[in-house]
Amino acid sequence: MAFTKIKRINFVNVSGFLVYNTDAVILVDTGLSKTTGKFTEAIGELQRSPEDISLIVLTHTHFDHAGGASRIKELTKAPLVVHHSEATFLRKGRTPVPDGTRWKGKVLAALSKTLGRRLTRYPAVEPDLLVDEELSLADYGIPGRVVHTPGHTAGSLSVLLESGEAIVGDNVLGISSKNHYPPFANDREGVLKSWETYINSGVNTLLPAHGGRVKIETLIRELPAVRKRYGIQF
Protein backbone atom coordinates (compact mmCIF):
# COMPACT_ATOMS: atom_id res chain seq x y z
CA MET A 1 0.00 0.00 0.00
CA ALA A 2 1.18 3.56 -0.70
CA PHE A 3 3.38 5.43 1.79
CA THR A 4 1.33 7.37 4.37
CA LYS A 5 1.90 11.05 5.16
CA ILE A 6 0.26 13.42 7.65
CA LYS A 7 -0.58 17.11 7.31
CA ARG A 8 -1.53 19.10 10.39
CA ILE A 9 -4.40 21.60 10.04
CA ASN A 10 -4.29 24.58 12.41
CA PHE A 11 -7.95 25.12 13.24
CA VAL A 12 -7.01 27.92 15.73
CA ASN A 13 -5.94 26.58 19.15
CA VAL A 14 -6.66 23.01 18.07
CA SER A 15 -5.29 20.75 15.35
CA GLY A 16 -6.91 18.42 12.87
CA PHE A 17 -4.99 16.06 10.61
CA LEU A 18 -5.11 14.94 7.01
CA VAL A 19 -3.76 11.41 6.67
CA TYR A 20 -3.03 10.66 3.04
CA ASN A 21 -1.19 8.72 0.37
CA THR A 22 -1.46 8.50 -3.40
CA ASP A 23 -4.66 6.47 -3.09
CA ALA A 24 -6.69 8.08 -0.31
CA VAL A 25 -7.17 10.91 2.19
CA ILE A 26 -8.92 10.80 5.55
CA LEU A 27 -9.57 13.68 7.96
CA VAL A 28 -9.17 13.40 11.72
CA ASP A 29 -11.15 16.09 13.61
CA THR A 30 -12.89 19.08 12.07
CA GLY A 31 -12.06 22.07 14.26
CA LEU A 32 -14.54 24.76 15.23
CA SER A 33 -17.64 25.68 13.27
CA LYS A 34 -16.05 28.97 12.14
CA THR A 35 -12.72 27.52 10.97
CA THR A 36 -13.77 25.09 8.23
CA GLY A 37 -11.98 27.31 5.71
CA LYS A 38 -8.73 25.99 7.19
CA PHE A 39 -9.73 22.54 5.97
CA THR A 40 -10.34 23.67 2.39
CA GLU A 41 -7.01 25.52 2.39
CA ALA A 42 -5.14 22.47 3.66
CA ILE A 43 -6.72 19.98 1.25
CA GLY A 44 -5.99 22.40 -1.60
CA GLU A 45 -2.32 22.54 -0.59
CA LEU A 46 -2.19 18.78 -1.18
CA GLN A 47 -3.59 19.32 -4.68
CA ARG A 48 -6.71 17.43 -3.61
CA SER A 49 -10.36 18.45 -3.32
CA PRO A 50 -12.85 17.99 -0.45
CA GLU A 51 -14.51 15.18 -2.42
CA ASP A 52 -11.28 13.17 -2.16
CA ILE A 53 -11.83 12.61 1.56
CA SER A 54 -12.85 8.98 2.08
CA LEU A 55 -13.56 9.18 5.84
CA ILE A 56 -13.92 11.72 8.65
CA VAL A 57 -12.91 10.53 12.14
CA LEU A 58 -13.75 12.47 15.29
CA THR A 59 -11.48 11.71 18.24
CA HIS A 60 -14.35 13.03 20.41
CA THR A 61 -17.25 15.44 20.15
CA HIS A 62 -16.19 18.59 22.01
CA PHE A 63 -16.96 21.81 20.12
CA ASP A 64 -13.35 22.44 19.09
CA HIS A 65 -13.05 18.98 17.50
CA ALA A 66 -16.56 18.47 16.10
CA GLY A 67 -17.72 22.03 15.46
CA GLY A 68 -16.90 21.88 11.76
CA ALA A 69 -18.18 18.34 11.22
CA SER A 70 -21.56 19.28 9.76
CA ARG A 71 -20.12 21.66 7.16
CA ILE A 72 -17.16 19.46 6.25
CA LYS A 73 -19.36 16.41 5.90
CA GLU A 74 -21.53 18.45 3.52
CA LEU A 75 -18.48 19.48 1.49
CA THR A 76 -16.87 16.05 1.29
CA LYS A 77 -19.86 13.68 1.30
CA ALA A 78 -17.59 11.41 3.35
CA PRO A 79 -18.90 9.11 6.10
CA LEU A 80 -18.44 10.47 9.62
CA VAL A 81 -17.11 8.19 12.37
CA VAL A 82 -17.52 8.63 16.12
CA HIS A 83 -17.58 6.32 19.13
CA HIS A 84 -21.09 5.08 19.86
CA SER A 85 -21.10 6.63 23.35
CA GLU A 86 -20.74 10.15 21.88
CA ALA A 87 -23.22 9.86 19.02
CA THR A 88 -26.04 11.48 21.01
CA PHE A 89 -23.87 14.52 21.79
CA LEU A 90 -23.05 14.91 18.10
CA ARG A 91 -26.74 14.74 17.17
CA LYS A 92 -27.51 17.46 19.75
CA GLY A 93 -24.52 19.64 18.88
CA ARG A 94 -23.35 19.89 22.44
CA THR A 95 -21.03 17.78 24.62
CA PRO A 96 -20.58 18.27 28.38
CA VAL A 97 -17.36 19.96 29.45
CA PRO A 98 -14.89 17.43 30.92
CA ASP A 99 -13.59 17.59 34.48
CA GLY A 100 -10.33 19.33 35.32
CA THR A 101 -7.36 17.25 36.43
CA ARG A 102 -5.28 20.17 37.82
CA TRP A 103 -6.33 23.24 39.74
CA LYS A 104 -6.33 25.52 36.67
CA GLY A 105 -8.24 22.93 34.68
CA LYS A 106 -10.77 22.57 37.48
CA VAL A 107 -11.36 26.33 37.56
CA LEU A 108 -11.74 26.54 33.78
CA ALA A 109 -14.05 23.51 33.75
CA ALA A 110 -16.27 25.07 36.41
CA LEU A 111 -16.46 28.37 34.53
CA SER A 112 -17.23 26.61 31.25
CA LYS A 113 -20.02 24.56 32.81
CA THR A 114 -21.70 27.68 34.19
CA LEU A 115 -20.80 30.52 31.80
CA GLY A 116 -19.64 28.86 28.57
CA ARG A 117 -22.60 26.70 27.60
CA ARG A 118 -23.48 28.83 24.58
CA LEU A 119 -19.87 28.91 23.42
CA THR A 120 -19.58 25.12 23.47
CA ARG A 121 -22.54 24.51 21.14
CA TYR A 122 -21.98 23.62 17.48
CA PRO A 123 -24.05 22.58 14.45
CA ALA A 124 -25.57 19.16 15.07
CA VAL A 125 -24.81 16.38 12.61
CA GLU A 126 -25.73 12.72 12.19
CA PRO A 127 -22.82 10.23 12.34
CA ASP A 128 -22.60 7.53 9.69
CA LEU A 129 -20.46 4.94 11.45
CA LEU A 130 -20.33 4.13 15.17
CA VAL A 131 -17.19 2.53 16.57
CA ASP A 132 -17.25 0.24 19.57
CA GLU A 133 -13.65 -0.91 20.08
CA GLU A 134 -11.87 -0.77 16.72
CA LEU A 135 -12.28 0.10 13.04
CA SER A 136 -9.82 -0.86 10.29
CA LEU A 137 -8.85 1.95 7.91
CA ALA A 138 -7.80 -0.46 5.17
CA ASP A 139 -11.16 -0.14 3.39
CA TYR A 140 -10.58 3.63 3.24
CA GLY A 141 -7.13 3.34 1.68
CA ILE A 142 -5.04 4.02 4.81
CA PRO A 143 -2.92 1.40 6.63
CA GLY A 144 -4.02 1.78 10.22
CA ARG A 145 -6.95 1.55 12.60
CA VAL A 146 -9.25 3.62 14.76
CA VAL A 147 -9.13 2.43 18.39
CA HIS A 148 -11.30 3.23 21.42
CA THR A 149 -9.04 5.01 23.94
CA PRO A 150 -11.22 6.37 26.77
CA GLY A 151 -9.82 8.94 29.15
CA HIS A 152 -10.35 12.55 28.10
CA THR A 153 -13.90 11.44 27.35
CA ALA A 154 -15.56 8.04 27.64
CA GLY A 155 -15.76 7.81 23.85
CA SER A 156 -12.36 9.14 22.87
CA LEU A 157 -10.87 7.54 19.76
CA SER A 158 -7.29 7.43 18.51
CA VAL A 159 -5.96 6.72 15.03
CA LEU A 160 -3.01 4.32 15.10
CA LEU A 161 -1.09 4.24 11.83
CA GLU A 162 1.20 1.48 10.60
CA SER A 163 3.71 4.21 9.73
CA GLY A 164 4.31 4.69 13.48
CA GLU A 165 2.20 7.73 14.35
CA ALA A 166 -0.82 7.91 16.63
CA ILE A 167 -3.32 10.78 16.44
CA VAL A 168 -4.52 10.93 20.04
CA GLY A 169 -6.96 13.83 20.39
CA ASP A 170 -6.85 15.25 23.93
CA ASN A 171 -5.52 12.18 25.75
CA VAL A 172 -2.06 13.75 25.61
CA LEU A 173 -1.07 17.41 26.02
CA GLY A 174 1.63 18.29 23.51
CA ILE A 175 3.23 21.20 25.35
CA SER A 176 6.84 20.32 26.14
CA SER A 177 7.14 22.65 29.14
CA LYS A 178 4.36 20.79 30.97
CA ASN A 179 3.55 17.27 32.02
CA HIS A 180 1.85 15.57 29.08
CA TYR A 181 -1.08 14.34 31.15
CA PRO A 182 -4.15 16.27 29.91
CA PRO A 183 -5.56 19.14 32.02
CA PHE A 184 -9.12 17.88 31.38
CA ALA A 185 -10.34 14.27 31.60
CA ASN A 186 -13.48 12.50 32.72
CA ASP A 187 -11.60 9.26 33.44
CA ARG A 188 -8.15 9.77 34.95
CA GLU A 189 -7.38 6.08 35.12
CA GLY A 190 -8.62 5.66 31.56
CA VAL A 191 -6.08 8.20 30.32
CA LEU A 192 -3.21 6.12 31.66
CA LYS A 193 -4.70 2.89 30.31
CA SER A 194 -4.86 4.61 26.92
CA TRP A 195 -1.24 5.69 27.34
CA GLU A 196 -0.40 2.02 27.83
CA THR A 197 -2.37 1.21 24.67
CA TYR A 198 -0.17 3.63 22.75
CA ILE A 199 2.99 2.22 24.32
CA ASN A 200 2.03 -1.40 23.61
CA SER A 201 0.84 -0.70 20.06
CA GLY A 202 4.34 -0.08 18.74
CA VAL A 203 3.80 3.53 17.63
CA ASN A 204 6.75 5.89 18.01
CA THR A 205 5.19 9.35 17.75
CA LEU A 206 2.03 10.85 19.25
CA LEU A 207 0.16 13.71 17.59
CA PRO A 208 -2.04 15.52 20.13
CA ALA A 209 -4.69 18.05 19.13
CA HIS A 210 -3.09 20.70 21.35
CA GLY A 211 0.64 21.28 21.07
CA GLY A 212 3.34 19.48 19.15
CA ARG A 213 4.57 15.94 18.59
CA VAL A 214 5.40 13.77 21.59
CA LYS A 215 7.75 10.81 21.38
CA ILE A 216 6.49 7.58 22.90
CA GLU A 217 9.62 7.45 25.08
CA THR A 218 8.37 10.59 26.82
CA LEU A 219 5.14 8.89 27.86
CA ILE A 220 7.05 5.83 29.07
CA ARG A 221 9.29 8.06 31.17
CA GLU A 222 6.41 10.09 32.65
CA LEU A 223 4.03 7.23 33.36
CA PRO A 224 5.31 6.20 36.84
CA ALA A 225 5.33 9.78 38.16
CA VAL A 226 1.85 10.50 36.81
CA ARG A 227 0.50 7.32 38.41
CA LYS A 228 1.99 8.40 41.73
CA ARG A 229 0.73 11.98 41.43
CA TYR A 230 -2.86 10.95 40.79
CA GLY A 231 -2.81 7.82 42.97
CA ILE A 232 -3.67 5.54 40.05
CA GLN A 233 -2.70 1.89 40.15
CA PHE A 234 -4.06 -0.88 37.96
Side-chain angles (χ1 to χ4, degrees):
M1 194 171 285
F3 182 72
T4 303
K5 297 181 180 180
I6 301 171
K7 181 176 179 63
R8 183 186 293 268
I9 306 174
N10 181 8
F11 280 122
V12 183
N13 296 325
V14 66
S15 293
F17 299 88
L18 290 167
V19 182
Y20 65 101
N21 54 36
T22 55
D23 301 322
V25 191
I26 70 169
L27 172 66
V28 183
D29 285 340
T30 61
L32 297 94
S33 59
K34 296 181 179 180
T35 60
T36 55
K38 298 289 186 179
F39 160 72
T40 55
E41 289 176 10
I43 195 75
E45 289 170 0
L46 296 182
Q47 304 300 310
R48 308 285 184 93
S49 66
E51 293 82 4
D52 291 326
I53 299 292
S54 60
L55 188 70
I56 303 167
V57 179
L58 296 180
T59 60
H60 58 290
T61 59
H62 287 147
F63 72 101
D64 53 339
H65 294 256
S70 177
R71 176 57 179 156
I72 291 176
K73 181 183 174 184
E74 180 183 352
L75 287 171
T76 63
K77 306 297 189 292
L80 177 64
V81 178
V82 69
H83 190 264
H84 71 84
S85 67
E86 303 213 3
T88 299
F89 301 139
L90 194 63
R91 294 182 182 114
K92 292 181 178 179
R94 185 171 182 273
T95 305
V97 174
D99 298 327
T101 63
R102 309 168 189 170
W103 73 267
K104 287 184 180 179
K106 291 177 180 179
V107 170
L108 289 173
L111 289 173
S112 296
K113 289 176 181 179
T114 56
L115 303 176
R117 292 183 178 181
R118 183 179 300 176
L119 296 176
T120 59
R121 291 190 179 277
Y122 55 88
V125 61
E126 181 69 27
D128 299 289
L129 296 172
L130 302 182
V131 174
D132 185 10
E133 291 302 322
E134 186 170 318
L135 173 71
S136 172
L137 293 173
D139 289 342
Y140 304 95
I142 298 295
R145 56 199 171 105
V146 178
V147 178
H148 182 210
T149 50
H152 178 66
T153 66
S156 287
L157 298 175
S158 297
V159 176
L160 308 184
L161 300 171
E162 291 182 10
S163 53
E165 296 89 3
I167 300 172
V168 298
D170 287 355
N171 271 343
V172 177
L173 179 66
I175 299 177
S176 59
S177 62
K178 298 180 179 293
N179 184 288
H180 292 86
Y181 191 85
F184 303 97
N186 285 333
D187 182 354
R188 295 184 180 186
E189 181 177 318
V191 170
L192 295 191
K193 287 184 177 179
S194 290
W195 280 24
E196 291 201 336
T197 295
Y198 305 142
I199 292 167
N200 294 331
S201 71
V203 300
N204 53 53
T205 305
L206 308 169
L207 302 176
H210 302 277
R213 291 172 174 250
V214 178
K215 288 294 184 182
I216 196 68
E217 291 82 3
T218 302
L219 250 60
I220 295 171
R221 185 173 63 250
E222 289 183 2
L223 188 56
V226 173
R227 277 183 172 175
K228 182 177 180 180
R229 177 177 180 177
Y230 291 101
I232 298 172
Q233 299 296 328
F234 50 84

